[in-house]
Amino acid sequence: MKRSGIARLPLRALLLVAFAPLLASRLPAQPPNDDCANAIPLFDGVNAGFTNVGATVTAGLGFFVCSNGPNPDVWFTYTASCTGSVTFSTCPAAGGLSSLDSAISTYSGVCGSLTLLGCNDNACATSPELTVNCVSAGQTLLVRVGGFQGDIGTFDLAVTCNPPPPAPPNDDCAGALLVIDGLNLGLSSPGATPSAGPPFSCAPGGADVWFTYTASCTGVASFSLCPPATSSFNALLSVYTGACGGLAEVGCSDDVCGNAPRVSAPASAGAVLLVRVGGAGACPLTGTFDLLVSCAAPPPNDDCLGATPVVDGLNPGLDNTNATEGTVAAACGLSGSPGYADVWFAYTATCAGVVTADTCDATGAPTLADTILSAYDGCGGTELACNDNAVTVCSPRSSLSFSATGGATYLLRVAGASAASSGTFNLTIACAPDAAALDDYGDAPVGTPVARHTNAGQERLGTGVSTEGGPRTPAWFGDAFDDGLISVSNLFPTSTTAQIVVRAVNPAGTQTDFCRLWVRRTGLSLGWATFGDALPSQSASVGAAPVNFTFGPFALSAAAAPSPAVRVRLSRDAAGVQSPTSTGAFGEVEDFVVPGSGGLNVAALAPSTVSDASDAPPPYPPAGIRNVLNERLGAAVDGEGNTPVGYPQTGTGAWDDDGADDDGILRLDGLSPGASVSVRVLATNPSGSTLDAARAWFDWNGDGDWDDPGEATPEEVGLVPVGATGRVFTLGPLAVPAASVDPVPTRIKLCRTSAGGGLLEGGQLAAGASASFGEIEDYLLHLEQGVGCNTATGLAPAAWADDPPRVGLPFTWRLAGLVPGAPVFFLADSSVLGGIDLVAFGLPVPPATCFLYVLPTNVFALVGVGDPNGNFSLTIPVPPIPIFAGAVVYVQGFQIAPPLSVIATNYLALTVLPN
């Protein structure tokens, strides 16, 4: 139904209508320190009598990172009276007081260019307390206090400057304290200063203390802050040989077990090692800790050249105790980690075929429960296979397979998966002879069952078949001819009518072939149950003309993945398709993660209770991320215990269910018909550093999927790990069709790569695939329209809104590509904008080259300046009046930079949606 009148109501009028009742009620005056520029000075001691009654929310800064907004806030400035740390508190125990539920943030820098130092909410009940470390005397800090979800009231703020204690006696190398074998308790570093010697090689750090150790053995000396030792701060640990002033580092460690380090180093009896413990990061903290020291001879197979021979069958009673850490990367270890305390074994193949090795056997009650197992073709050679957790076999132990040549010797390495992983284990080995040279294997990652077809090359799934000499490197649908799957329908959790169609052909003749398909129909783990996930076997005469096998209708449980793992097998041998792990004569096996086809799913994303889900409504394919505590798009991510496709809302209301944490987009360029769009997204990982990949999809024709040609950007895999400081991925360019819809349904995904321990390699970056770590953000992004210009240098700036505005909620409008520091204006209108040549304003712009869209109903207000990176964002409240739904508002950015250079963006049409 078309709305009359309100659809053309100007934004200025909307705002006046919304705020008129408030103005009539004579709101309290704003506090004098309502904004950063008017911050009130604080002094040591109790600063009393403050209020945020009448305060506004600081524009452009966003909500407190530790507290839900909006937060009506007030500002203070504090000049440090000491060098050390400063504590700001509204807790009664510190002398503070608060009548509101509040949060506190501190910043360095100046207004308009602030750097967040810390944020706290609810340190004591509903009152915050925050300590800022690494403060220098005379340094100025800015302090912001705001109310939780709009709460207001009065408060007192206690300020304490805490100088560090005197330096400990072992503050430098010359004063190193003696440590001995065993647990050295009650050590501490408060007051420590950074050493003048070499920096920690494994991570930035400082505030260190020193110890000396005389080796009690010839072998390996180990130094650890891991349990049973304890540490009250994020520590680094380095070990050196030599004398003070001439040190040679032999090991450095950070975050081996949580925030605690562990280093093992070669030692000779009576030799002296120097040990250094410091705080991690640019602002290194200090505290108390224990240091666990041990010395033992390593086993003879501690390195590859000393590998112990092993044979087919059970090799019992093996041990990695006192082994050192190797340096050869293991592809299945987290971020390529080789594991811990690794030992080596030599195996001579007893057949030409497939060798299987595992640490699963429990004979003798082995004590090394979590292993990493890898195989190599020689010392310093190529890794043939690697497995960490054999999920469907004996997790967290390991199982792997590789293709072998009879009589050739291969190296097997067993490592612990964590710093505390050492003990006894068993190694079981078997060699299955090849029946023919041309074999095909499934492509699912190591840890899923291995399927094999001998004499591959005749009948096949799809148009072709790739042959291999052994199991493939983990890469879902990694073969060039994984092309047998031709259609999918109704594939989503709780569906009872799912259907998958596959195609087979035999260009070499005609055979009666058998086909079977396994779908992971319950749960999210890799692998398939032999019977529970199998669909009934089918047979047909397969020849040069393609034959289709239709599987279904079948049901998926509510606990199934939105994009399940699928294995398809074709063989002329009926026994070859009875199990997902068997060997079949002739034929092919293909493994996929099949993008779901949409549908409601409110099932929990087990096993994690902190999960992320796509927000696009049906028929867009659902996808879930099982753990969002690690890497994410932007700086924030929320957790959902469900996979909402149409949940909690449907239609346009489902978009942006995640609200303010859909913050991954840094810049969007070229989103206009006929242009090439690129999107820059920020990835961060506050819990560590991992290798990740990103991708974006644009549904140009609005048909409810991202499967059409030209709708997906290439995958970008980060060669630089994503960590706490963040990494920017540039996705695109991608051609924008001349007839593109507006707004454009857009999906952006960040996923950990399989080499970094994630779920998938190729499949996870399908639009409808689920993954283990990362985030999904769905947007409705408007096309840029009109004529943008830039009479300075470079491209015209880009403008976009994160999502459409909604009645009663704020929405954020962003600009990028501006001149830093130059004033930015915001223009909005409720009717289609027309262009007025800027030359009419007397500006030095050539006629007909640059347009500013100005009508009498424009709101025209100075709203800020471009930040040092040329970016600007403005959060605009939409009045909580239901009849405003459907109104169309046009927004545009405009900047005049010295010397009178005109910078204008294309305009955006934003339709106000109901809440």
Side-chain angles (χ1 to χ4, degrees), residues 773-799:
F773 297 92
E775 188 182 3
I776 305 169
E777 294 185 357
D778 291 341
Y779 300 86
L780 291 174
L781 298 178
H782 277 278
L783 295 172
E784 296 178 346
Q785 305 169 67
V787 180
C789 68
N790 183 354
T791 65
T793 58
L795 299 173

Side-chain angles (χ1 to χ4, degrees), residues 863-884:
V863 294
V865 297
D867 70 14
N869 296 314
N871 300 321
F872 177 80
S873 64
L874 175 69
T875 298
I876 303 168
V878 179
I881 301 177
I883 62 172
F884 286 170

Side-chain angles (χ1 to χ4, degrees), residues 1 69 86 144 251 309 722 810 832 871:
M1 181 178 71
V86 180
R144 177 187 179 205
V722 173
V832 177
N871 300 321

Side-chain angles (χ1 to χ4, degrees), residues 78-91:
Y78 172 74
T79 300
S81 60
C82 72
T83 294
S85 65
V86 180
T87 301
F88 301 93
S89 179
T90 60
C91 294

Side-chain angles (χ1 to χ4, degrees), residues 454-651:
T454 63
N455 293 304
Q458 297 190 43
E459 54 263 74
R460 72 282 304 270
L461 295 161
T463 60
V465 60
S466 299
T467 58
E468 305 102 19
R472 287 190 58 81
T473 300
W476 293 90
F477 48 83
D479 283 337
F481 292 110
D482 278 346
D483 56 354
L485 192 151
I486 63 171
S487 73
V488 176
S489 59
N490 298 325
L491 192 68
F492 57 86
T494 72
S495 172
T496 58
T497 57
Q499 181 173 284
I500 296 177
V501 180
V502 297
R503 179 168 295 176
V505 69
N506 187 351
T510 300
Q511 294 285 342
T512 297
D513 289 300
F514 299 86
C515 189
R516 198 166 199 178
L517 184 148
W518 287 260
V519 182
R520 187 63 172 160
R521 289 190 277 173
T522 300
L524 304 170
S525 62
L526 297 174
W528 303 273
T530 300
F531 301 106
D533 289 335
L535 299 181
S537 176
Q538 302 180 36
S539 64
S541 180
V542 178
V547 174
N548 287 351
F549 293 89
T550 300
F551 294 90
F554 60 90
L556 282 84
S557 77
S563 305
V566 173
R567 169 162 284 176
V568 187
R569 301 194 66 175
L570 175 75
S571 175
R572 64 178 65 174
D573 178 6
V577 298
Q578 291 305 301
S579 166
T581 61
S582 63
T583 297
F586 300 91
E588 186 181 5
V589 54
E590 294 184 356
D591 294 335
F592 302 89
V593 172
V594 181
S597 56
L600 290 177
N601 174 29
V602 295
L605 280 170
S608 173
T609 58
V610 185
S611 307
D612 182 47
S614 54
D615 302 325
Y620 289 97
I625 300 290
R626 276 174 281 287
N627 192 317
V628 299
L629 295 177
N630 297 281
E631 51 264 70
R632 71 280 303 269
L633 289 163
V637 63
D638 65 2
E640 300 153 329
N642 47 53
T643 306
V645 178
Y647 179 88
Q649 303 179 72
T650 58

Side-chain angles (χ1 to χ4, degrees), residues 186-480:
L187 307 177
S188 66
S189 62
T193 59
S195 291
F200 288 97
S201 66
C202 52
D208 45 54
V209 288
W210 291 80
F211 303 92
T212 181
Y213 169 73
T214 301
S216 60
C217 75
T218 296
V220 177
S222 295
F223 306 89
S224 175
L225 273 68
C226 296
T230 61
S231 175
S232 65
F233 62 102
N234 187 359
L236 301 176
L237 187 152
S238 283
V239 178
Y240 304 87
T241 59
C244 299
L247 298 172
E249 186 180 72
V250 293
C252 184
S253 174
D254 176 28
D255 297 349
V256 168
C257 46
N259 288 330
R262 177 177 181 266
V263 171
S264 295
S268 299
V272 174
L273 296 173
L274 285 161
V275 182
R276 179 185 177 201
V277 177
C283 175
L285 301 182
T286 60
T288 59
F289 60 95
D290 307 327
L291 183 61
L292 179 64
V293 182
S294 63
C295 192
N301 59 339
D302 187 48
D303 57 38
C304 182
L305 294 175
T308 299
V310 287
V311 297
D312 287 338
L314 178 65
N315 297 267
L318 307 176
D319 201 332
N320 73 330
T321 302
N322 299 327
T324 61
E325 271 73 66
T327 59
V328 179
C332 58
L334 181 62
S335 299
S337 165
Y340 302 89
D342 57 332
V343 287
W344 291 82
F345 303 91
Y347 169 74
T348 300
T350 57
C351 73
V354 175
V355 173
T356 300
D358 67 68
T359 59
C360 298
D361 195 285
T363 299
T367 58
L368 179 59
D370 195 351
T371 59
I372 297 175
L373 176 62
S374 47
Y376 305 84
D377 60 6
C379 290
T382 301
E383 183 184 87
L384 302 177
C386 184
N387 179 244
D388 183 2
N389 295 321
V391 176
T392 60
V393 183
C394 60
S395 179
R397 294 188 171 96
S398 310
S399 176
L400 58 75
S401 299
F402 60 92
S403 182
T405 301
T409 298
Y410 299 89
L411 280 302
L412 299 172
R413 182 179 63 177
V414 177
S418 70
S421 296
S422 63
T424 59
F425 59 93
N426 301 319
L427 186 59
T428 304
I429 304 175
C431 191
D434 279 334
L438 295 177
D439 293 348
D440 176 60
Y441 291 85
D443 307 326
V446 172
T448 54
V450 175
R452 174 168 165 252
H453 288 263
T454 63
N455 293 304
Q458 297 190 43
E459 54 263 74
R460 72 282 304 270
L461 295 161
T463 60
V465 60
S466 299
T467 58
E468 305 102 19
R472 287 190 58 81
T473 300
W476 293 90
F477 48 83
D479 283 337

